[in-house]
Amino acid sequence: MTTGVIPGGPPPEPQPNGQQLPEQRREPISHQGLHVDNRTRSSVITARAAASFDPLGRSVATARSFVRDTLQGWGFGDIVDDAVVLTSELVTNAVVHAGTAADVLCLRSDDGVRIEVSDRYPERELPVQSSAVNMGSPDREGGRGLQLCAALAGRWGVEYTPTHKKVWFQLDMPERPVGTRAAGPCLPADLLPLADGRVRVAVVQIERGGSVTAWNEDAEELFGYAAKQVVGKPLTDLAAWPHTPGTSTGVAEALQLSRWEGSYGIRGAHGRVIPVYASHLRVRDTDGEPSTVCLLVRDHERAVLQTPLRLPATSDTGSTPEGPGADPFEVFIGSPAPDDLDGLLQRTVERARDMLDGDAAFLLLATDDETELEVRASTGLPSARQRFARVPVEAGPGRYGSARMPAVHDDLAAVPGAVPLLNSTGMRSVVTVPLKVEGRLTGSLGVAAEAPGRYSNEEALRLQFAADRIALAVESARLGELERLRRGSLSFLVEASDLLAGTLDRDQTLALMAQMTVPTLATWCAVYTIADQASDPYLSYVLHEDEELIDGIKSLLSKIAPPDPVPTPGARVWSAPGEAAHQAALRSSMRSLSLGDYSHHQIGTTIGPTLATAAAVGGETVVLPLVARNRVIGMLTLGKPTDEHFRQEILELAEDLSRRAALALDNARLYSERTAISQSLQRSLLPPGLPDVEGVEVDVIYRAAGEGNEVGGDFYDLFPIRDGAYGFAIGDVCGTGPEAAAVTGLARHALRLLAREGFDGPAVLERLNSAILDEGARSRFLTLLYGELWPQEDGSARLKVVCAGHPLPLRLRQDGTVEPAADPQPLLGVMEDLELYEQTITLDPGDVLLCVTDGVTERREGSRMLGDDGLADVLTTCTGLTAGAVAARIMRAVERFASDAPSDDMAILAMRVPDPQQ
């Protein structure tokens, strides 16, 4: 999903209020450019927000959250529920039924809001007419979204372009009486919110670019910075948390919204984080320049700024929701009930808090084995710091230590740590009740208050009654979410397995491991590898969803001891990175404070990177072993930002991924070792270098085919036999691999030994043939061109050659003619009795002798083959070239002959007698 606030001019406006019929407009397919809406503009658009959602089922819930957050930020709480319902139906039509991405655009005007949902399937027309039609039963999927638009929206319509179909609806704000916007009942003094002496409200004004332009005296008192120290600097440099807890909106994004309320932290001059509750209002000056006015108080004084929640509407007849015909579930949750788990849980805690007039509420869900509870929703608490945190079901003896029984704590100050979730939150009294389905614990619901002694058994019974009503719905939604997660997990693991199986490169495997986990499973990831059992873990790869933080995390991890390579399966918590980041941030803050000059350079570059790194690794960090073939070969480390925790389902998915990744990494290691061995063996079968032959130019080009993990069968050699005489050979063993390598090694070393013993060419090859046949079943036939070379005093060179089944050598004369330089004879390794003979040739000055393996002559492109004639044609163009240039031109011609990579090894040996006249 991509979201953003769209600046710029006003968008298309809805029609005047008098028109109630939906619009349907189709642009001709041949039209080019964007559609222009020429309807009458009845109001001015004051804000707009847009988001794009992928064609996935979970995008519907994300779209609902986007619209809800946007409209609540604009202060349109009265129409949020209708807007969310309509958006849900229209986005479902786009991503589920049409199967395309959905674009959602929210437009705010003085009198209401217009929401547009576009898909990429204009061919799928909607049943919209100029007059009302019967679209069938409301229970049908098809057309239900349009029925809801007709029922809930003031105006709506459908528009078509060649590439998009857009459904829009307009919701008008209900008329309000002039004067009071919201009010609360009169309360006794002891029930009013607490404040520390004088309530200080920091007023900070932020210009378009995010820099501070005004900083009042209360801001100086709250945070310790004088105005001259912060004016002109971005507010985000002072924000201690990169994202607002409990939402996906960052501080920088919140400053761009027209209205916003929420919590975040400001790092004061003393280096400590001050939690604040903020109210942002976007304004513009007389020149039309926008800026944001921020009102900030201490978080525990949020009642000073927090907008009261709207109470549920009551019926005009005055009957209570708890009437005889009311559904107990709808009485507690409200109607319509959210159909996604997170929305249901959030509304549950809000209703529970309101029902018991509490300051905070929380809901935890049990894990599959019912041994732990996981925080899934809260209100009035720093939810992002607690979300997905886990606590044991049985924390101690008795009913107060078990989540299976209702419990009331009159004063948490008397029993510190009784409810770990509420530590350091200021809550004093709490009531908790279990959620049970058919006698099985599925979760726990709690309501807390800042005053002690607020709750008794009566409130516990009321809350338990409500919990019993919603437990089944929560469990049903949870099972539905688990099913979606399992399906997504299976798809994720299948894709991961395919990607990991597609490479045998170690570095690429490490990169894939990290890229598959970030950001899908974690915010950042580090991979440690272990070379062997005697080696220590080595930090091999680090990745963060924000590339600018990778170097900081890598530097931090390199300074602390790596996790222990424990082979026990499953994720275990590793606290060292968070502690090290906290200490580094503290030292950086202290150094900055000791300087006494809070310049932009110090705040932005000295404190900033350290605090950003600390925030990035400040959450939960877990380590999963990479075990392959009963040996720990590394560790996969996953981390969350400050105060965030992993879901149990995510950890289980990460464990499955770690097993596949470990096997892929070990396979890459084995493949690398095999490749290194093969390449080393291949080098040992070739001469380390070529001797200088006085009066003769010699050059060789050797190209092995394949991926480098198999030993080729082609070889060449040039070696001195005695004074003034040299032996040369070029051969090709049938096949590749270890068996071919054995024959290659036997042939190359036997040639040198026999030639230096004084045997002539035929005798050398006959004895080599016997040695190959002696190998029995391991023997391979061998084609070989062997010769002896004697440079002459007159500038020529005399050669004696034997061509045993090998492609014939070609002689290039100075006049450009090409001819074979030897006759074909039987190959080696097939017959016992060979009658071979040698042929004598003389290379005159300027002549070239070219020797190749069959990988050159058998180069193919479809049904065409280069062949001996094609090689001869290329050689005729090499008159006057040096031996090296001849070999290079032949190789270029062979490579260009076909577009595919060569499938056989190739060796080219060129010898040329220089012409002193050239």
Side-chain angles (χ1 to χ4, degrees), residues 738-759:
E739 294 82 1
V743 177
T744 301
L746 172 65
R748 196 171 75 83
H749 295 292
L751 288 175
R752 289 194 173 208
L753 178 63
L754 294 172
R756 288 170 177 170
E757 288 295 323
F759 294 98

Side-chain angles (χ1 to χ4, degrees), residues 408-714:
V408 178
H409 292 274
D410 291 330
D411 193 352
L412 293 177
V415 281
V419 183
L421 185 64
L422 301 180
N423 290 344
S424 303
T425 62
M427 300 299 161
R428 296 287 296 276
S429 54
V430 61
V431 53
T432 61
V433 296
L435 298 177
K436 292 185 177 182
V437 176
E438 297 181 350
R440 181 173 60 87
L441 180 70
T442 60
S444 178
L445 176 63
V447 178
E450 295 178 348
R454 286 282 298 277
Y455 302 117
S456 62
N457 288 338
E458 181 181 352
E459 282 78 13
L461 288 174
R462 291 180 60 197
L463 188 62
Q464 184 67 70
F465 181 82
D468 293 341
R469 295 300 179 271
I470 58 101
L472 185 60
V474 169
E475 180 66 5
S476 177
R478 186 184 74 88
L479 292 176
E481 181 191 65
L482 287 177
E483 181 63 24
R484 291 191 295 271
L485 284 174
R486 289 191 178 100
R487 291 178 182 176
S489 299
L490 289 176
S491 300
F492 173 78
L493 290 175
V494 168
E495 183 180 358
S497 299
D498 290 343
L499 290 173
L500 291 171
T503 179
L504 288 171
D505 181 81
R506 175 183 176 275
D507 293 337
Q508 189 173 359
T509 302
L510 290 173
L512 283 174
M513 289 171 58
Q515 291 167 4
M516 285 185 294
T517 58
V518 176
T520 305
L521 305 181
T523 306
W524 64 272
C525 167
V527 183
Y528 291 84
T529 56
I530 304 175
D532 51 63
Q533 295 181 353
S535 301
D536 294 329
Y538 174 75
L539 182 61
S540 299
Y541 202 90
V542 175
L543 184 65
H544 190 280
E545 61 183 6
D546 184 353
E547 294 182 357
E548 295 181 356
L549 297 177
I550 294 178
D551 292 338
I553 297 177
K554 187 181 299 183
S555 175
L556 176 70
L557 294 178
S558 64
K559 296 176 182 177
I560 61 177
D564 296 330
V566 179
T568 306
R572 68 182 193 275
V573 177
W574 185 32
S575 60
E579 295 173 354
H582 175 73
Q583 294 297 326
L586 182 60
R587 289 193 298 269
S588 178
S589 299
M590 295 301 294
R591 285 196 298 268
S592 296
L593 289 173
S594 64
L595 294 175
D597 178 14
Y598 299 96
S599 64
H600 176 71
H601 173 77
Q602 291 167 329
I603 295 177
T605 63
T606 303
I607 301 180
T610 304
L611 296 182
T613 302
V617 301
E620 188 175 46
T621 302
V622 297
V623 177
L624 298 105
L626 298 175
V627 181
R629 298 175 176 88
N630 298 322
R631 185 174 73 87
V632 180
I633 63 172
M635 284 87 69
L636 178 63
T637 303
L638 307 179
K640 287 281 190 179
T642 297
D643 298 323
E644 289 193 16
H645 298 265
F646 285 98
R647 296 185 60 175
Q648 186 63 33
E649 295 85 355
I650 295 297
L651 294 180
E652 293 172 358
L653 180 58
E655 186 177 355
D656 288 339
L657 176 63
S658 68
R659 287 195 291 267
R660 290 165 170 77
L663 187 59
L665 184 60
D666 200 47
N667 288 340
R669 177 187 63 83
L670 295 175
Y671 181 81
S672 299
E673 292 178 355
R674 177 183 173 184
T675 301
I677 293 172
S678 299
Q679 292 174 347
S680 177
L681 179 57
Q682 183 74 68
R683 288 192 298 269
S684 70
L685 299 177
L686 300 175
L690 298 178
D692 293 330
V693 180
E694 185 177 356
V696 179
E697 299 174 359
V698 181
D699 204 296
V700 175
I701 295 178
Y702 179 84
R703 296 285 173 83
E707 299 180 357
N709 59 344
E710 289 189 355
V711 182
D714 291 11

